Structure formats: C-alpha cells, structure tokens
C-alpha cells in the first residue's frame, strides 16, 4: 500500500485551527495540550512565573506533569502525560547543539518522573509551529497520529490503521505523506516508537530528521525510562510536526550568538581531529579509552576491560561510519557526531536481507549491546542497534538487562527451561538478538526481559525462589532504571553521580570518574560533594534550554588548559551565558545559571517525594556499582583490592580467604557511600534523609506553596 | 630507587623521562589532558621536549568527555 492509500484510510477525530504567531526572545508563550481520551485540543498560556521558575525544556515538562497528575497516578493511567519541550535556546542555528527536545513522563520502569533528551528536528519544529511545549494526555481507542502543521496552523488527531509501527518504516511513510515534495522532506519530523515498545517497559521515542544528502530519514532516540512504552500505551503511532521553513527565535542580539558560534566552529575545524574526533567517530571514540582505564563494562559490570577490545575499537567504527558527510542532528551543529552506517544488510529478524541505514552505534550502545554482554562483534552491535531503534527500545536498558540475565543464567538462577531455550551465556549474540525479536513479538522470555531488571528480580525470586540478595547485588539498576555503561567501582564520586540522580543512573547529571579516580582532584567528601552539586546543576541547565551537552566538553578551546578550572571549560560556559542573554534579553551570570537549575532540580526531587520516593533509601546503589560481589571478580583485580584493604582500611590481606576480604572491603565501601550521601545532601541543602530544606528552597526562590506542602512534614 | 609522583601515584624515574614516556607508563591514552610539572603547565607541543627530574610532582588532569 502506498502512502496516499494509507492516508485515505485515516479517520479524522479532531482538528483545531490556531494563529501561528511568532517566537519572541526564544518563547512562543503558549503550550499545546492534546487529550486523546476526549480529543480535546487547546492552547495554554506560558506565564512569566513559569518562565522565571521553570525556564523551559525539562522545567516546563516537570511543571505541566506535576499539575496534570496526582501522586498516585501510574504510568499507564490516562492522566499520565508525555511532554516535549525544546527550551528557549532550542531552534537557533548559529551555535552547535541547539536542537534538543526534552521529554518528560511518568516512567514504567521507575514509577517516578523520567526526563530524556533527544536530537532530531521535532523540538525546533514544534516551536516554529507556535508552541513552547506539547503536552499529550489521555488514551486513544485505536492507533492514532497527532499532526502539528506549523505551515497551515492546524493540529489534527487522526486514526491511522495502515501505517507500520516500527520506526524506520513508519518515519519514512509519514515523511513521504506529509512533505509536499522531495525538497520539503526536511521540514517534516516524526516522533514514534516500535513494536517492542508496546511489549516492554523500556520503550524509546525516535525523533526523526530528514538527511537530504543521503535522502534518508534518520532517527535519534529519547532513550531512557520507557517513554516509548507510554506512547504506545496511549495508542499513539506517531506525532508529526511540519514546519514552514526555519523561523528565527527573534533573539535580542543575534551578532553575539554568531560570534560565539564562529569561535566554536573554528575549534571544531582545527582541534577535533586531535581531541575527541567527534566528526569521524562520534562518541564511539571512547570505547578503547574506557577499556584502557578499566571502565568499559564487561560481563554485567564485573570487569572494566577485555582482551578482544580491538574488535570494537573506535577505528572499527570509523571504518563502518560513512565519512565526510554532515551528521548533525540539528541544523548548524558542526560537531556533527550523529554517525551512521549506510547500506547495512540485516542478518536476522523480520527485515532480514534488507539494506538499511543504522544511526550509531554510540559509545553507550557499544558498551551495552557489546562488551557488557561479553559480545565483541561489531556487526552484531550494528544489527542490534538497528533493531533496538526500529522496535523502539533503549539500547542502554536492553544491554544492561541482558547482561544481568546472562549472569543469572551462568549463576544457575535461570536456565534453558525458564528462558524457553535461549542459552543466555555471556558472548552468545544469537541468543541476545533472539531475545530482542521475542520482545518485539511480545512472546516468550522476551516479555519477561522487557519488564526491566527491578521487576525481573522480584519475578525470579517469587517464581523460582532465586536469591534476592544476590540479584540485588548484581542487578545494575537504581530507582528501577538500568545503569548506563561505565564501571563506577573505583570512583566514589561517580557512584553518587549515578545513584543520587533524580531519574536513575544515567550519566548525564555527572561524569566524575576521571576527576575522582584518575586525577585525584576531589579527595575529600567535601570535594566530592561540591562536584556532585556543581556538575548535576550545570548539566541540568542544558535540559532547560534545548541544548546538547556534547559541544560543552567534547571539544575544548586551545587555551583551556591555561584556565583556572579547565574541567568546567570556562570559555564554553561563558558562551552559554552570552547566548541565553542574547536570546532572552535577560542578564544572568554563572551563579544565576546554577540557580536556575537548582530550582528545577529541587522541584524534581520534591516531585519524587510527592510520589513516595526521593528519599535517602531510594539513593541506594547495587553493590556491584561499588565493589566486587563475587570471588572471581575480586580475584581478577586482587592486587588492587588487597592494596585498598591495606592502605585504606589498615587490614593486612595476607592469610585471609577471598570471601573474608570481599566482606571486609564491602563493609568499608558501603560505609564510604553513606558518608558521601551525608556530605552531598548537606551541600545540596537537603536533610540527611534527602529532603530539600525549607530554608534552602527559600534561598533559591523555590518555596512554592505546593512544594512546601510536600517537604514540610519531612523536615 | 629514584621516583616521581604522577597524580599521587609513585612512578619509577627513568633517564630522559619526558611527558610522553610518563603517559605511556601510566597508560594514559585519553587525549584531552592538562599536564603540569611541579605546578607549571606543559603544553602539548612540548610533551616530548619536557624532561622530568626525580622527585617531580606531575599532574595529568583528564578532562571530562561524553554526554
């Protein structure tokens, strides 16, 4: 069936006309609300209060979700929402990485708020269409698409029975359907999920952009926390944004932005080849570096390096990625790190034999689908990357949960009978990819795997009597979200950077391993606490703006080493402040920048508390994140651990069994983590139970009545 | 044994030990580094020509990368 025939099968449920309007100083000053239960569509004003306190992006998402839900709302209740917001800087084209969307929802994995950032053109197009955020509530009866036509000023809800669900086909179909001609395809962006998102809790949203050079639709992922599963639970097949060209943000000082952009672009031209090679390798440049520092998760985070690293080395990815093409996921991004493998022939699954474009793999995908599962096969990683994307599931969660299953299998917790014949041993790539296909089909053991690690632990304990303590030690999840792909055992600060996050262990709040473990720059608890205050707040700011974090620190000015605080990249921080002021006409400094984030960060913490989480006990980490759980793990690095016993605890390891040494080291490491929590909570202005103090909320200007109502009884 | 300190780790000193040798010995393969010897910045172009003497305190600050 061609796209015209598909379109003819659409049934219009609702259309809504609106004035297109203009963007003023980065804001359209309204949001779009769509309810799929009753097909209501309306505009909501963005107040000055909302801009002052929540800024945009993730901040707007949190505010709208707070207002729309009750503390008891579950992820699959109709009142849960998916909110997409680009932020005030989002959509400018004069500085790299300014096209990000922030997506917020209640997560099926964590039962708290999840936020996920993503490239692709949808966020900017939403703003060009006239909205600072899209808020979707309710559930449709049958599969629908929501179309936001920023050319005509119309929003439509249509039943769409014939289109595919898997993203690589669906995004292509809808791009063809809604572009007036070939040369207008780059003004259509599609948000979609896939078949596995329907049958699991680890669904992603794919945000498309049309690559004019390749004449292909590309996909970027809002990966974490299962928002794709929420999308399909609402029976949304896709959300389509159509733009009428690139609209200016009507900024206050365009020249100032251009000046920052020109300096940054020069750095990319002149320094990238000697620094991170983002234009050639993307984030996959990190693979062997992480291996060299014993940080690349291998076999469910047991180890940090592997002898077969050369099979997944960055040079392999460079040879697989098409070179010398523009790979920015938004216009004007000279970092151009959205690498792709072209013409890849699939070897398995429903699209076997098809030659496809595969977006990625990025570092996290190589670690998750590869080394962490003991698989050192580049073509398998590309194939699994493709299927994760088109099926709409998160490569990080899938990788980490598969690694957990492999360890459970090898430890005898599960077996072939339980897995329905899948021999889930480390390195078994055929079993791993079949598990993914089962997830997409909603069949067999794939359905169990799709629950995520936290629910699987409970299931295995209840159904098969598995040892819950052991599974809690090796199951790499915190708050219900699977860990991203770094070994944190030797960096106490990074253990906090993972487990003290608001949403769960994703490294986008803080990546402190080098600073802590290698540089030894933050030796005291106070030092670590300062880093675990500054970096999460600084990095939260990107999510308020619609900015990508990579241009902040994946290329650095030539004189960065000579600055007082090179780890913060001061010149780039100054660029961001200049750009924010130039867009909005405000006049913030770097202190106010952190304050903006603190308000939103503390609001998110309070949101978690409102839902029955967000306390000290919820910041607990699995012991695998801190130290060796098993004998083999200890003995693989016995020299290191024996030294720690001797130097840190004053315990002579000689004459002690490995079991004894594991136990002594564990007690020490667990105590260190508790002390870290104390220090960080104090620095963040929280009680020792992790609750924001009223005095701190007043100090940062976030003592809103609804916030105080939650935290007051817990002071 | 003559020694130097690199990021608080003790490393055996060698004749004509320059910054690149130190990076190799420590297996510091990351490319975004700030190197200081006894508090003095060493620029990347000078890694080969900068000879380090016994008891030097070398800081190899790894910057942050990735998202």
């Amino acid at each position: 069936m061609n796209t015209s025939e598909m379109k003819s099968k659409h049934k219009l449920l609702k259309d809504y006309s609106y004035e297109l309007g203009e963007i003023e100083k980065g804001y359209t000053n309204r949001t779009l609300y769509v309810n799929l239960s009753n097909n209501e569509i309306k505009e909501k004003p963005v107040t000055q209060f909302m801009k002052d306190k929540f800024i945009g992006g993730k901040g707007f998402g949190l505010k709208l979700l707070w207002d729309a839900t009750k503390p008891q709302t579950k992820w699959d209740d109709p009142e849960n929402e998916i909110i997409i917001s680009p932020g005030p800087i989002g959509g400018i084209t004069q500085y790299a990485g300014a096209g990000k969307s922030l997506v917020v929802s209640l997560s099926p994995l964590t039962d708290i708020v999840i936020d996920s950032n993503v490239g692709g053109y949808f966020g900017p197009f939403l703003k060009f269409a006239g909205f600072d955020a899209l808020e979707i509530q309710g559930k449709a009866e049958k599969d629908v698409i929501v179309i936001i036509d920023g050319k005509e000023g119309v929003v439509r809800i249509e039943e769409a029975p014939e289109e595919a669900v898997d993203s690589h086909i669906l995004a292509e179909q809808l791009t063809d359907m809604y572009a007036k001609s070939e040369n207008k395809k780059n003004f259509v962006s599609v948000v979609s999920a896939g078949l596995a998102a329907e049958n699991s809790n680890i669904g992603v949203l794919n945000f498309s952009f049309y690559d004019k050079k390749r004449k292909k639709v590309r996909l970027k992922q809002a990966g974490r926390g299962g928002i794709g599963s929420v999308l399909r639970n609402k029976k949304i097949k896709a959300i389509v944004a159509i733009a009428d060209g690139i609209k200016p943000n009507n900024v206050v000082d365009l020249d100032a932005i251009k000046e920052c952009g020109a300096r940054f672009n020069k750095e990319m031209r002149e320094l990238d080849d000697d620094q991170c090679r983002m234009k050639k390798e993307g984030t996959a440049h990190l693979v062997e570096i992480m291996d060299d520092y014993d940080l690349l998760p291998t076999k469910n985070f047991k180890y940090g390096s592997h002898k077969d690293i050369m099979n997944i080395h960055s040079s392999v990815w460079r040879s697989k990625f098409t070179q010398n093409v523009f790979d920015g996921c938004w216009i004007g991004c000279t970092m151009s790190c959205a690498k792709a493998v072209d013409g890849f022939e699939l070897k398995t699954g429903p699209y076997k034999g098809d030659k496809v474009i595969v977006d990625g793999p990025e570092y996290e995908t190589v670690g998750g689908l590869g080394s962490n599962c003991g698989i050192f096969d580049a073509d398998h990683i590309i194939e699994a990357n493709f299927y994760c994307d088109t099926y709409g599931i998160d490569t990080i969660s899938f990788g980490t949960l598969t690694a957990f299953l492999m360890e459970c299998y090898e430890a005898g917790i599960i077996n072939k009978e339980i897995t329905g014949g899948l021999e889930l041993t480390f390195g078994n790539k055929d079993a791993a990819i079949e598990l993914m296909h089962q997830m997409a089909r909603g069949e067999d053991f794939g359905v169990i795997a799709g629950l995520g690690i936290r629910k699987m632990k409970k299931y295995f304990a209840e159904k098969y009597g598995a040892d819950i303590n052991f599974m809690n030690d090796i199951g790499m999840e915190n708050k219900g979200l699977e860990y991203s792909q770094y070994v944190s055992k030797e960096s106490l600060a990074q253990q906090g950077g993972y487990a003290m996050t608001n949403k769960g262990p994703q490294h986008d709040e803080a990546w402190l391993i080098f600073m802590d473990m290698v540089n030894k720059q933050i030796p005291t608890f106070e030092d670590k606490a300062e880093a675990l205050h500054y970096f999460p707040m600084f990095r939260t700011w990107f999510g308020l703006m619609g900015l990508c974090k990579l241009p902040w620190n994946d290329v650095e000015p030539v004189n960065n080493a000579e600055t007082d605080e090179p780890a913060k990249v001061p010149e780039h921080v100054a660029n961001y402040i200049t750009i924010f002021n130039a867009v909005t006409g405000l006049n913030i400094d770097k202190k106010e920048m952190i304050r903006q984030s603190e308000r939103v960060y503390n609001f998110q913490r309070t949101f978690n508390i409102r839902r029955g989480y967000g306390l000290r006990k919820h910041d607990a980490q699995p012991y695998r994140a801190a130290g060796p759980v098993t004998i083999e793990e200890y003995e693989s690095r016995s020299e290191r651990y024996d030294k720690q016993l001797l130097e840190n605890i004053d315990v002579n390891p000689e004459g002690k069994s490995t079991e004894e040494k594991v136990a002594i080291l564990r007690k020490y490491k667990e105590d260190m983590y508790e002390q870290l929590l104390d220090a960080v909570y104090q620095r963040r202005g929280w009680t020792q139970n992790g609750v924001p103090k009223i005095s701190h909320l007043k100090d940062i200007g976030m003592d809103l009545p609804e916030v105080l109502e939650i935290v007051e009884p817990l002071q | 044994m003559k020694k130097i300190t690199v990021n608080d780790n003790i490393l055996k000193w060698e004749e004509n030990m320059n910054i690149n040798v130190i990076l190799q010995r420590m297996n510091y393969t990351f490319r975004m580094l700030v190197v200081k010897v006894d508090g003095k910045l060493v620029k990347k172009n000078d890694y080969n020509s900068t000879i380090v003497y016994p008891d030097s305190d070398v800081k190899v600050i790894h910057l942050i990368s990735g998202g």
Side-chain angles (χ1 to χ4, degrees), chain B residues 6 11 17 19 28 40 43 49 62:
Chain B
V6 183
L11 184 66
M17 194 175 208
I19 301 298
Y28 286 166
K40 194 176 169 198
K43 292 192 174 176
S49 60
H62 292 57

Side-chain angles (χ1 to χ4, degrees), chain A residues 541 572-582 588-590 593:
Chain A
W541 196 80
H572 287 180
V573 175
N575 284 352
Y576 289 121
I577 291 168
T578 298
I579 292 168
F580 178 79
N581 289 338
I588 67 162
D589 56 15
K590 61 183 182 182
M593 178 191 222

Side-chain angles (χ1 to χ4, degrees), chain A residues 275 292-293 518-519 554 556, chain B residues 7 28-29 31 62-63 65:
Chain A
Q275 293 188 5
D292 285 342
Y293 289 80
V518 184
N519 304 342
D554 275 303
E556 282 160 6
Chain B
N7 289 357
Y28 286 166
T29 56
R31 293 180 290 275
H62 292 57
L63 301 177
S65 174

Side-chain angles (χ1 to χ4, degrees), chain A residues 435-448:
Chain A
L435 184 70
M436 194 183 298
H437 294 316
Q438 288 182 359
M439 208 179 276
R441 296 194 300 266
E443 292 175 0
D444 307 320
F445 196 65
V447 177
I448 303 302

Side-chain angles (χ1 to χ4, degrees), chain B residues 36-67:
Chain B
K36 291 184 177 177
V37 178
D38 295 327
K40 194 176 169 198
L41 181 72
V42 180
K43 292 192 174 176
K44 197 167 190 175
N45 289 340
D46 299 330
Y47 283 2
N48 253 333
S49 60
T50 300
I51 305 298
V52 174
Y53 298 99
D55 299 323
S56 294
D57 181 28
V58 181
K59 298 287 185 206
V60 183
I61 305 301
H62 292 57
L63 301 177
I64 304 166
S65 174

